Amino acid sequence: MSSPVINKLVVIGLGLIGGSLAKAARERQLCTEVIGVSRSQQVCDRALETAVADRAVTSLADIAGELAAGDVLVIAVPTLAVAKVMAEVSQIVSDQVTITDVASVKGSVVADATRIYGQLPSQFVPGHPIAGGENSGIEAVNSQLFENHKVILTPSDSTGEQHLQRIVQLWQGAGATTEQMSVAEHDEVLAATSHLPHMLAFLLVDTLAGMRDNREIFRYAAGGFRDFTRIAGSDPVMWHDIAQANRGALVSTIDHLMGNLAEMRQAIDAGDSEYLLGVFTRAREARNHFTKMLEMKAYMEPESDNNVIFTVQPGGAVNGTVRVPGDKSISHRSIMLGSLAEGVTEVTGFLEGEDSLATLQAFRDMGVVIEGPTNQGGGDGQGNGRVTIHGVGLHGLKQPAGPLYLGNSGTSMRLLSGLLAGQAFDTELTGDHSLSGRPMNRVAEPLRTMGARIETAENGRPPLRIKGGSHLKAIDYKLPMASAQVKSCVLLAGLYAQGETRTTEPAPTRDHTERMLSGFGYPVERDGASATVRSGGKISATTIDVPADISSATFFMVAAAIAPGSDITLQHVGINPTRIGVINILRLMGANIDLHNEREIGGEPVADIRVRYAPLKGIAIPEDQVPLAIDEFPALFVAAACAEGQTVLTGAEELRVKESDRIQAMADGLQILGVDAQPTADGMIINGGDSGCGKIGSGEVESCDDHRIAMAFAVAGLRATGPVRINNCNNVATSFPGFVELAQKTGIQVTEDRTR
Ligand code: S3P
C-alpha cells in the first residue's frame, strides 16, 4: 500500500474481529497509527507484544482528544455492549471522526445510535464483516482474516459520503470486498445464514450433553457431529447478544424451520422415501450451487473480477477421436419436459455446462426432485451426465422461494417465460450482466397477446416478472424473426392455453422442442413452417440420450479445416437438419468433411464427423443457412480469415443480440489480429489470405464474456503467427466445460490462467 487511506485507526475491543482488523491495518499500512483500546491491561500488553497495535490504552478518554477528521474509530465489542461504548464515544469524540462497528446485528446498533445521538449521525457507518471463527479473543487474531471475505455496510441517507468511502477503503485495504444493503435486509439474511445455524449447533450439543448416556454418545460422535457443531465452540456472550438483538428475524426463521422439521419427522416416521430423497437431493445440489457461488465461479459470480485468460501458442494441428459435451439446446429441454412429465425420466449425455445447470437448478427451485448429474466415467464423454428427473406433471410445479437466477442463459429465460406464464404462481427471472442486456420483448409480446401478465425492465430487458393465475388463450403466431427460442416459448405457453396454439417461422430453426414433445408423447402437428399444440395433453416420462453438441464440435471442425495436417473425428454428434448449417457452409468453402455411422437416437439424428484439412476458399454464405448455423459464426469467421479470397455474410443481424454483439466482437478481435474483417449491419466481409499461409497475427483480444467468441479465438491460434491472448474467458463453462483440456488433447496449444 503506497499511502495510508486514513490517519489514526482506533479499535475499541481487541477480540478476534477488532484485533484482526487492527493488525491487518498495521501490516498493510492502511493508516498512520493503530491505537487499540481494551479495558484489560493484560490484553493491551498482549496487543503490543503481538504487533496488533502501535499503542494500546485502557480508556478511550486517554486518546479521544487527539482524534480529528480523517481518523476512524471502530467499535468492536459484543452487540449489546455497543450502546455503552457509543454513549461514551458520543461525549468525547469529535463529530469529524468516522465511526463504524462490526456487530452481527444492525437493527439494534442503529437504534442505539439514533437514541444516543438524537438522530443517526452522519459520521456513523454501520458495518458487519462476514468473517470469524469459533475461536475468540486476542490470541485468535489473524491479520488475513478478512482476505476475500465480504463486509456488509448498512449506511442510511444521512451517512456522510466521505465517511462511507473511508470505511470502504479500510475494509478493501484489509483484503475484503464491501457490499451495501438495508439494515432490515441485513438482519433477515444473517438470521437465516448465520444466527440460526449457531442456535442449532449450540442446542444440539446441549441436548446431547443433557441426555443420560452423554458420555457414550460423545465417545462415538465423530464426523457429522464434529462438522455440524464446530460453531458451538463460539463465544457465548457474543451469541447471547445476537439472539437478543435480532429477536424478530431469528424467531421467524426458527418458526419456518420448525414447520419443516415437523414435516420431516412425519416423513421419517412414515418411511416417505420420496419426501426424504427430495429434501436430500435438493439440499445437496443447493449446497453445491452455493459452494460455487462462494468460490466465485463464473456461473454465479459473473461480475467477479476473476479474469480467466486463454493464451494460445501459434501453430499445430488437431488429431484424434473425441466426444464433445452434450447438446445445450437438448439438455435444457430434457430438464423442462422431464420436470413436466408424469413419471421418472432418465437422461444420459446431459451437458454439465452452467447454462443447462441453471435450468436444472430453476426446476429444483420449483420443487422438482432431480438427481445428478452424475458422472459415470468413460473418459471421453461417454456415460457422463446421467440425470434422473422425478416429473411432477404439467401442473405440479411449486412457487420458488425467490427469483430464478438463470446466469448467462438466454435459452433458459426465454423458454421458461413461456412455461411460467401458464402457472398458478408468480415468478421472477433474473440473469447475469450479459443476459440482463438481452431483448425479452420478443417473448413478452406474444405471451401478452396470449393473456400473460409479464413485466420487463426498461426496453424489454430482464428481469422478467411473470404473474401467475392468468388464463392463457391460444394464438396463431407468425414469428417476426427466425428464433427457436421464441417459437419454443410460445409452444410451451400453448401447453397451458385454451385452444390451438400455432407458430409459423420465417425460416427453419432448430426443432428440438417439437421433436422432444413428440418423444414425450405430447401431440405436435407440423406442417411446413408451422407447428401446432393444444392444451390438455399429457407429457409422459421417457429416456433421453443427449447427443454431443454440434455447436461445440464446430470449434474442432473449424480447427481441422484450417490447420494443415489435421484429421479429427468427433463422435456421436447431433446432426439434426436444423443444426447442420456449419457442415453445409464449410463444405461450400471446400472443407473435407465425412459423416460416418449415421443413426437416429431418441428422435434425433446422430453421426461421427470426420474432418481432414483441405484448403478453404471464401464464399458468399447462403442466407438460408444462417439460422441453421446461428451459433457457429464466431468459428466460421475464423475459417473465413484462413480461406483464400472473400467471404461475405449477410442476413445475420440476430448475431448482434447473442451473448455479445458477435459481429462487433469478432470483427474487433480479428482486426486486432491483423485480419481484414469489416462488420456490416447484418453480417461481415472478410478478406482471407492466400491458402496455406496464415494471415492471422498475434495479439490480445476480448471475448466480451461470450463463450463462443473465446473458443473461436482459441482455434484461430492454430493459424496465427504469434501467441494469441484472449481475455475474460470465464463463460466458456456455460456451454463447454473442459474445453481447454480437450483442445490440448487434440493439439491446440492453449493454456488457461486466472488473474484478479
Ligand atoms: C437456441 C436457439 C438459438 C441459439 C441458442 C439456443 C435454443 O437462439 O442461438 O444458443 O436452444 O432454442 P435464437 O432462438 O435466439 O436464435
Side-chain angles (χ1 to χ4, degrees):
M1 183 59 54
S2 48
S3 62
V5 292
I6 51 183
N7 294 335
K8 287 183 180 146
L9 176 71
V10 178
V11 181
I12 305 179
L14 296 172
L16 173 64
I17 299 290
S20 297
L21 178 60
K23 192 162 188 184
R26 196 165 179 270
E27 278 177 11
R28 295 163 189 240
Q29 296 166 24
L30 303 177
C31 50
T32 51
E33 188 184 17
V34 177
I35 307 171
V37 182
S38 168
R39 274 179 316 190
S40 151
Q41 184 60 50
Q42 215 181 341
V43 170
C44 289
D45 294 345
R46 201 66 193 125
L48 296 180
E49 278 162 31
T50 53
V52 163
D54 298 299
R55 255 197 293 164
V57 294
T58 52
S59 163
L60 176 64
D62 295 349
I63 51 141
E66 301 176 20
L67 302 182
D71 296 338
V72 171
L73 185 142
V74 182
I75 302 176
V77 298
T79 306
L80 294 187
V82 172
K84 190 160 168 257
V85 173
M86 197 178 274
E88 187 188 1
V89 170
S90 72
Q91 296 301 315
I92 56 178
V93 172
S94 136
D95 62 5
Q96 302 298 305
V97 174
T98 305
I99 302 171
T100 189
D101 76 311
V102 297
S104 300
V105 183
K106 300 276 51 97
S108 65
V109 169
V110 165
D112 289 341
T114 310
R115 185 174 36 77
I116 291 164
Y117 283 89
Q119 61 183 44
L120 204 53
S122 75
Q123 70 193 129
F124 180 49
V125 184
H128 175 209
I130 313 292
E134 68 278 21
N135 299 322
S136 45
I138 193 157
E139 298 307 333
V141 159
N142 166 12
S143 62
Q144 314 296 317
L145 186 65
F146 308 109
E147 195 72 59
N148 295 327
H149 281 70
K150 288 194 169 71
V151 176
I152 300 176
L153 303 177
T154 63
S156 68
D157 292 344
S158 59
T159 309
E161 189 54 33
Q162 78 280 23
H163 295 297
L164 176 61
Q165 284 321 317
R166 212 163 278 144
I167 297 304
V168 167
Q169 285 177 340
L170 172 64
W171 283 116
Q172 288 179 351
T177 54
T178 57
E179 275 180 28
Q180 295 181 27
M181 58 174 74
S182 73
V183 169
E185 191 185 352
H186 170 276
D187 287 0
E188 268 169 41
V189 169
L190 268 290
T193 55
S194 166
H195 305 171
L196 179 66
H198 277 85
M199 299 303 127
L200 294 178
F202 282 123
L203 191 62
L204 179 69
V205 179
D206 191 46
T207 305
L208 294 195
M211 283 162 84
R212 239 186 319 130
D213 297 328
N214 65 27
R215 217 144 348 119
E216 275 303 287
I217 292 172
F218 284 112
R219 202 138 66 88
Y220 298 110
F225 177 81
R226 197 172 43 218
D227 288 349
F228 187 82
T229 58
R230 176 181 60 78
I231 51 180
S234 305
D235 182 1
V237 174
M238 173 173 158
W239 285 98
H240 158 269
D241 284 13
I242 290 171
Q244 301 237 334
N246 203 16
R247 183 178 306 149
L250 194 46
V251 165
S252 59
T253 37
I254 290 177
D255 286 346
H256 193 116
L257 183 83
M258 278 170 69
N260 288 354
L261 196 58
E263 239 177 66
M264 177 177 260
R265 184 196 174 283
Q266 207 178 352
I268 294 173
D269 198 25
D272 182 345
S273 315
E274 179 142 353
Y275 172 92
L276 295 173
L277 204 54
V279 172
F280 300 154
T281 340
R282 277 196 307 275
R284 189 179 71 165
E285 297 310 324
R287 162 103 186 127
N288 291 343
H289 192 65
F290 296 139
T291 308
K292 274 192 185 175
M293 227 167 121
L294 297 172
E295 284 170 358
M296 293 194 176
K297 290 274 284 282
Y299 169 42
M300 290 306 301
E301 197 70 37
E303 257 70 76
S304 97
D305 41 6
N306 265 334
N307 177 9
V308 173
I309 296 169
F310 287 176
T311 308
V312 199
Q313 296 306 326
V318 290
N319 283 286
T321 298
V322 292
R323 179 166 167 169
V324 299
D327 189 278
K328 180 156 76 72
S329 295
I330 299 177
S331 295
H332 280 300
R333 287 157 173 87
S334 70
I335 298 294
M336 295 181 189
L337 298 189
S339 295
L340 299 177
E342 293 180 19
V344 178
T345 292
E346 299 282 353
V347 184
T348 49
F350 179 80
L351 167 66
E352 297 182 42
E354 296 181 348
D355 276 16
S356 37
L357 289 172
T359 292
L360 190 151
Q361 185 61 36
F363 281 88
R364 282 202 175 114
D365 291 347
M366 292 189 283
V368 183
V369 175
I370 306 177
E371 297 173 62
T374 47
N375 189 320
Q376 303 291 305
D380 54 2
Q382 274 149 27
N384 287 353
R386 226 170 229 290
V387 177
T388 305
I389 308 163
H390 298 256
V392 295
L394 274 160
H395 299 281
L397 296 177
K398 298 206 182 92
Q399 177 156 30
L404 297 172
Y405 177 76
L406 303 171
N408 194 246
S409 177
T411 309
S412 309
M413 189 169 283
R414 296 208 178 109
L415 270 59
L416 270 173
S417 64
L419 207 151
L420 294 173
Q423 304 301 323
F425 49 82
D426 299 351
T427 37
E428 181 176 344
L429 306 182
T430 65
D432 72 2
H433 180 71
S434 150
L435 184 54
S436 301
R438 296 184 66 187
M440 292 297 149
N441 274 342
R442 53 178 61 201
V443 288
E445 278 164 11
L447 291 174
R448 284 186 193 125
T449 316
M450 296 177 82
R453 286 169 296 158
I454 300 193
E455 281 172 29
T456 65
E458 232 178 302
N459 298 323
R461 311 286 158 186
L464 293 183
R465 289 197 184 84
I466 305 175
K467 278 263 161 238
S470 303
H471 295 287
L472 302 186
K473 308 178 296 290
I475 50 168
D476 184 349
Y477 191 58
K478 305 221 170 352
L479 274 81
M481 75 286 283
S483 165
Q485 293 181 352
V486 177
K487 172 178 66 174
S488 303
C489 163
V490 174
L491 290 174
L492 291 173
L495 304 182
Y496 296 91
Q498 201 186 0
E500 197 173 85
T501 300
R502 188 193 331 272
T503 57
T504 306
E505 50 190 359
T509 65
R510 66 193 68 194
D511 62 356
H512 305 301
T513 304
E514 298 90 306
R515 283 175 188 254
M516 203 184 280
L517 274 170
S518 303
F520 274 91
Y522 201 100
V524 184
E525 271 165 42
R526 302 183 64 182
D527 181 12
S530 297
T532 307
V533 293
R534 279 175 208 83
S535 57
K538 187 174 118 175
I539 299 185
S540 307
T542 184
T543 55
I544 296 181
D545 177 356
V546 182
D549 196 330
I550 191 166
S551 299
S552 299
T554 289
F555 298 104
F556 295 97
M557 290 168 61
V558 168
I562 64 170
S566 296
D567 180 354
I568 197 160
T569 298
L570 298 148
Q571 292 178 307
H572 203 77
V573 182
I575 52 159
N576 179 315
T578 58
R579 297 284 298 280
I580 54 168
V582 59
I583 298 180
N584 301 336
I585 293 169
L586 283 174
R587 277 183 171 157
L588 286 174
M589 296 175 80
N592 180 354
I593 303 177
D594 296 317
L595 301 189
H596 299 277
N597 203 8
E598 284 188 53
R599 57 218 184 263
E600 187 161 309
I601 307 271
E604 291 279 351
V606 170
D608 298 336
I609 303 178
R610 181 174 182 191
V611 187
R612 280 169 284 181
Y613 171 75
L616 300 181
K617 57 183 191 318
I619 58 165
I621 297 175
E623 285 199 8
D624 63 358
Q625 294 300 312
V626 170
L628 311 184
I630 193 67
D631 290 339
E632 283 60 86
F633 285 103
L636 284 169
F637 292 145
V638 171
C642 300
E644 182 183 355
Q646 190 174 68
T647 296
V648 181
L649 172 68
T650 53
E653 57 279 352
E654 276 293 304
L655 292 182
R656 293 211 177 262
V657 290
K658 293 292 177 190
E659 285 84 329
S660 69
D661 174 345
R662 286 185 174 159
I663 292 177
Q664 201 58 49
M666 285 305 297
D668 289 346
L670 287 171
Q671 285 169 8
I672 288 171
L673 299 180
V675 175
D676 178 0
Q678 295 310 321
T680 62
D682 66 343
M684 183 124 58
I685 302 170
I686 297 177
N687 289 306
D690 297 335
S691 99
C693 84
K695 245 206 109 187
I696 299 178
S698 166
E700 180 168 341
V701 299
E702 294 298 323
S703 83
C704 301
D705 290 323
D706 185 329
H707 52 138
R708 300 202 198 281
I709 305 288
M711 291 185 277
F713 281 117
V715 168
L718 285 163
R719 281 282 292 266
T721 52
V724 176
R725 188 180 141 105
I726 312 153
N727 280 319
N728 291 316
C729 299
N730 302 35
N731 280 342
V732 164
T734 60
S735 69
F736 202 148
F739 169 73
V740 169
E741 294 74 19
L742 205 60
Q744 287 167 346
K745 187 174 153 193
T746 60
I748 300 175
Q749 302 170 68
V750 56
T751 51
E752 180 179 29
D753 292 299
R754 194 171 281 268
T755 63
R756 277 183 70 81

